[in-house]
Each structure stands twice: as C-alpha cells, then as structure tokens.
Amino acid sequence: MRTGLGLVKRSLTLLVDQLRPGDKVGIVVYGTEARTILPLTGIEARGEILHAINALEPEGATNAEAGLRLGYTLALRSAKFGSINRVILCSDGVANVGETGSDAILKKIRAHVEEGITLTTIGFGMGNYNDILMERLANDGNGSYAYVDNLNEARRIFVENLTGTLQIIAKDAKVQVDFNPQTVSRFRLIGYENRRLDHEDFRDDDVDAGEIGSGHSVTALYEIKLHEGADGKLATVFLRHQNPDTSRVTEINKDFFTSDLKSTFEAASAEFQFVAAIAEFAEILRGSYWAQEGNLEDVQQTIAEIQPHINNKQIDELTMLVNRAMDLKTYQVQ
C-alpha cells in the first residue's frame, strides 16, 4: 500500500467503526516480503486495531502475491461456516515483486477460495494504477472490486454499503438474453467486454461468473434496432445463479414484448434514463465508434432533467464528472 496511504487509513477506520461484537480483524502488509502486523483481534480491542492502522507506512516494493497468500492464511485461522470470511486487499494494483500476473497470483490462493474465503479488492491511487489486475483478482477470488479516490466513496463502500461489500448473496450470477430475430434486426451489449461468456457457457456451472453482494444490483444494458413494423416478442431474459450457502443453482426467465417499450426516450423511467446517460458518458469518454454522434451537452441536459426524480446520491457525482469533462474539453479546444 503506497499511493493514497492516508486515504487507506481513513477508509479502514470507517470499516472498523461498523464492525460488531464477535468480529475479528487481522492486518497484513507486504513490501518485498509480507508480514503480519496485527494478528486476528476481536473488535472489542478497537484501540489496538486502530493503532495498527494508524501505524501503517509505505513498504517500498509490492509483493502482492505474498501479501494475499499470508492474508488468506490468517483468515483461515478463524474461518467459520455460516459467517463472512473475507480478505480485503487495499492496493494501488501494482505488483512488482514475486508473482506479478493475476493468473499466477490466483493459482497460489485458489484452494483457499474453495474453502470459503472470498476476496474484496479496493483500489487506491492513480498514476500506474492497475485496474485490470485488481478486477481480475476480485473476479477469480469470488468477491467484489471497487475504486476509492475520496472519503465519500470510502464511506459509500465501508459504511452505507458495508453488508453488500462483505456479504455475497449470489455466486456465479449470469444473464443471457435471447433476442427474437423476427422483431430485432441487431443488438449490442454495452460494456462488460471483459465479462462476456460464450453462449454455451451459460448453463456450465464450472464456468466462473460474477458475484452479487447483499443490496447490490447489476444492470445489463443493450442497444437494439427493430425491424420496421416489428410487433410481438422481443426477447427472453434468463438469470442463473448459485446460492453461496447451499450451492443450489437457480434459473429463472421472463419474456419481453414490443408492447413493453416506450414510444420515446423521455417517456422511459427516470432510472432508465439515468443508466443510459451513464453509458453514453462512458462511451463518449472512451471514444467509442457508437458514440460518434453523442455529445456531453446532451448527457448534461438529460441528467439535469431527471435529477429531481432520482433518489440516488450518485447522480450528484455524475453531474460533477460530466461538468469536469466538459471543462477539460473546452480547455483542450482553446
């Protein structure tokens, strides 16, 4: 943990404040080697835990593989069936000592994952931040990934959504959409490029998929073009997931029809417009071929129109990001 260490300390302090009697915390740091600076300690010794957090210092090199291996070993010492057994990796995502690739790192700890220890990765810092490594570790570690760049985001993860951050309610969750070629002429999934599965993998329960935390939701957004005069069934949506406690697999499905569509974008729900605005913003920022005719002004206008109807704190952050992007675009033009 190097870049953003002060934010790491404040974030972990927020986490400690939310823990309950019976919870235990252990802390491992990793530089050239990994070492334990706080053995598993009950939350009753809050002062001792906070002292260890405040004493954290930059470690120089980053041997993420050794740190994760020691972290899993520590977690296994008090792992209990029916409890949340979680390793939380706080890092800038750089691994420059020991095994440095996600495949090699996960190979070292895969057995521990099978024993019920899940992994949350929290990214801090900028510069040479390795987003791909952090997300891959969380995916293969049957956990979740988040990025923290300010205290408000830390509070959202470790206070407001702590249960969702730590507790998994669905393992290997998959969604498959079968579009009706009689009504839909073409379609594309927006985003999830690194999470797409082959069609035949949907019902293969040996294929790893995503995990969903308590209170969390996942949105799959498709852009579709209809045949002229299309009428009837649009698609069948299939959802499949595994119960994390019983390992029982459940699959459900639902049909959607052209009659479910709204006549205009403005007639759609505010929540749908919010998600679409986020997707358009991301497509514009990445210079997507599909957003060549899009512009930030339209995104800004959509957000302003739906803001009074959205009960979501993140819309304020989205507004700020769009405004900042517009300012940067103006600066570059000048």
Side-chain angles (χ1 to χ4, degrees):
M1 295 181 292
R2 303 175 300 169
T3 306
L5 184 56
L7 185 55
V8 171
K9 292 181 181 181
R10 288 186 287 174
S11 299
L12 293 179
T13 299
L14 290 174
L15 171 61
V16 170
D17 288 342
Q18 301 303 306
L19 298 181
R20 301 171 296 181
D23 292 336
K24 294 182 179 180
V25 176
I27 299 178
V28 168
V29 296
Y30 52 92
T32 303
E33 301 293 338
R35 68 184 193 281
T36 300
I37 65 168
L38 180 73
L40 287 168
T41 303
I43 195 61
E44 294 78 11
R46 182 177 182 276
E48 184 179 346
I49 297 172
L50 293 180
H51 176 75
I53 292 173
N54 292 327
L56 293 173
E57 294 181 351
E59 291 289 315
T62 307
N63 192 335
E65 177 260 332
L68 279 170
R69 184 154 38 85
L70 182 56
Y72 272 89
T73 300
L74 191 65
L76 279 167
R77 291 176 185 170
S78 67
K80 295 181 180 179
F81 179 79
S83 298
I84 298 174
N85 306 297
R86 180 67 62 105
V87 171
I88 300 177
L89 171 67
C90 298
S91 175
D92 58 9
V94 176
N96 52 30
V97 175
E99 298 286 5
T100 58
S102 59
D103 289 335
I105 293 173
L106 263 296
K107 185 177 180 180
K108 301 284 185 180
I109 62 176
R110 196 173 301 279
H112 297 321
V113 174
E114 294 299 322
E115 292 175 299
I117 309 296
T118 50
L119 174 67
T120 287
T121 60
I122 309 292
F124 294 83
M126 295 293 287
N128 57 352
Y129 177 73
N130 191 336
D131 181 87
I132 295 175
L133 174 60
M134 294 291 281
E135 184 178 5
R136 177 70 189 281
L137 290 173
N139 291 343
D140 289 353
N142 280 3
S144 57
Y145 161 66
Y147 178 76
V148 172
D149 59 352
N150 57 59
L151 195 59
N152 286 335
E153 188 65 15
R155 188 173 290 109
R156 184 182 70 82
I157 294 169
F158 291 119
V159 178
E160 298 170 8
N161 296 329
L162 179 62
T163 302
T165 299
L166 298 182
Q167 183 175 2
I168 293 174
I169 61 169
K171 290 177 59 179
D172 292 331
K174 304 173 185 176
V175 58
Q176 181 169 277
V177 182
D178 284 346
F179 287 102
N180 178 8
Q182 301 301 315
T183 55
V184 179
S185 64
R186 63 176 184 262
F187 63 89
R188 72 180 182 101
L189 175 64
I190 301 176
Y192 291 100
E193 287 85 355
N194 60 339
R195 301 304 303 271
R196 296 186 186 189
L197 299 175
D198 293 332
H199 188 83
E200 59 270 18
D201 289 338
F202 179 72
R203 292 186 176 89
D204 186 345
D205 296 325
D206 291 328
V207 174
D208 184 58
E211 278 64 47
I212 300 177
S214 176
H216 286 182
S217 62
V218 179
T219 301
L221 190 64
Y222 284 84
E223 181 179 68
I224 65 175
K225 182 176 178 58
L226 303 181
H227 290 296
E228 185 175 353
D231 184 33
K233 189 172 80 170
L234 277 174
T236 302
V237 178
F238 298 87
L239 297 177
R240 188 178 179 89
H241 74 278
Q242 183 183 99
N243 185 299
D245 297 323
T246 66
S247 296
R248 178 183 177 184
V249 175
T250 300
E251 181 179 322
I252 60 175
N253 65 79
K254 180 177 175 60
D255 292 333
F256 289 87
F257 300 85
T258 53
S259 58
D260 295 319
L261 299 176
K262 300 297 183 181
S263 58
T264 65
F265 178 74
E266 291 73 20
S269 68
E271 289 76 13
F272 176 86
Q273 293 185 53
F274 179 45
V275 171
I278 294 173
E280 180 73 3
F281 181 44
E283 293 274 84
I284 292 172
L285 290 184
R286 70 190 298 191
S288 169
Y289 166 83
W290 304 102
Q292 291 181 7
E293 297 182 2
N295 61 76
L296 295 175
E297 290 77 10
D298 287 344
V299 174
Q300 184 186 53
Q301 182 178 346
T302 297
I303 297 171
E305 291 175 352
I306 64 175
Q307 191 160 16
H309 309 289
I310 291 288
N311 183 22
N312 189 323
K313 296 178 181 178
Q314 290 182 295
I315 196 167
D316 294 330
E317 184 175 358
L318 178 62
T319 299
M320 179 195 68
L321 291 173
V322 173
N323 291 340
R324 184 178 298 177
M326 293 179 66
D327 290 341
L328 290 172
K329 179 181 177 182
T330 301
Y331 177 77
Q332 292 174 345
V333 170
Q334 294 175 344

